[in-house]
Amino acid sequence: MDEWAIPTGHGLGSWNFHQAAVDLLFKIGLTREETITVLDANRFRFGLGEDRDAQYVVDYVLSKSRHLAA
């Protein structure tokens, strides 16, 4: 998580939030629900934070990974 964190107030955290989701899901091996919980709890670490939607990002990452695996 620290690798992708962006200082509060910077509006550039969307890509980093996405990358954190990828790491949590595929490098650490958390479940979908665990990843959403961790991202929600740490939204403030990704720029402004309020506009980060953990469920959307996790579902997007999972859908893309399934698409690539097919």
Side-chain angles (χ1 to χ4, degrees):
M1 192 74 63
D2 289 336
E3 176 182 357
W4 301 113
I6 298 283
T8 301
H10 290 76
L12 304 174
S14 293
W15 186 82
N16 295 61
F17 196 65
H18 175 271
Q19 291 305 116
V22 170
D23 282 358
L24 291 169
L25 288 164
F26 302 114
K27 286 186 180 177
I28 296 175
L30 296 182
T31 66
R32 175 188 178 275
E33 292 75 19
E34 292 168 332
T35 303
I36 291 169
T37 300
V38 170
L39 289 175
D40 274 340
N42 288 281
R43 277 191 320 188
F44 69 93
R45 298 178 73 188
F46 297 92
L48 300 174
E50 301 88 29
D51 61 340
R52 309 290 176 242
D53 184 342
Q55 183 174 346
Y56 173 81
V57 169
V58 170
D59 289 344
Y60 178 80
V61 168
L62 290 173
S63 73
K64 290 299 178 186
S65 70
R66 288 185 191 112
H67 174 72
L68 293 174

